[in-house]
Amino acid sequence: MRLVRALLAEPEVLLAVEPTSALDAHTEAAVARRLRAERSGRTTVVTTTSPLVLDHADTVHYLVDGKVAASGGHRRLLAEEPGYRALVARDTDAEEVVR
């Protein structure tokens, strides 16, 4: 509900912290697609570990100890950054790759 109110206010800059954390995967994917479309042309900063949301981001910054360890697209970071993959991948295979 908070996300809806924030979107209706149409702020020039929006900060959303884990905006889809309480949603099932189907709804989360729909919100991720719509959030990108709704915020087109404006600045939106999202903090999340949701791969469904991250896949719609223009740029992802992977933080380690509060510092940017890597930046780029979600899919590139998944392929090239084992720590990022372990953080956001929702399958157990990703954890085994890092170990």
Side-chain angles (χ1 to χ4, degrees):
M1 188 59 87
R2 287 182 181 176
L3 181 59
V4 172
R5 281 185 285 217
L7 292 172
L8 289 173
E10 298 183 357
E12 193 60 33
V13 177
L14 175 66
L15 173 60
V17 178
E18 292 290 351
T20 61
S21 63
L23 303 176
D24 62 85
H26 176 74
T27 306
E28 182 179 20
V31 168
R33 282 190 309 273
R34 291 178 183 157
L35 179 62
R36 181 179 176 97
E38 178 65 30
R39 295 293 301 163
S40 180
R42 290 172 282 183
T43 301
T44 306
V45 178
V46 178
T47 61
T48 188
T49 57
S50 166
L52 294 170
V53 175
L54 292 165
D55 199 33
H56 290 277
D58 291 328
T59 305
V60 175
H61 299 290
Y62 168 51
L63 304 177
V64 175
D65 295 328
K67 296 181 179 136
V68 176
S71 294
H74 168 66
R75 292 171 192 237
R76 184 182 70 74
L77 291 175
L78 277 177
E80 298 176 6
E81 294 291 332
Y84 177 82
R85 186 171 43 253
L87 180 65
V88 303
R90 291 184 175 172
D91 61 2
T92 55
D93 293 338
E95 292 178 15
E96 293 173 12
V97 170
V98 174
R99 291 179 191 188

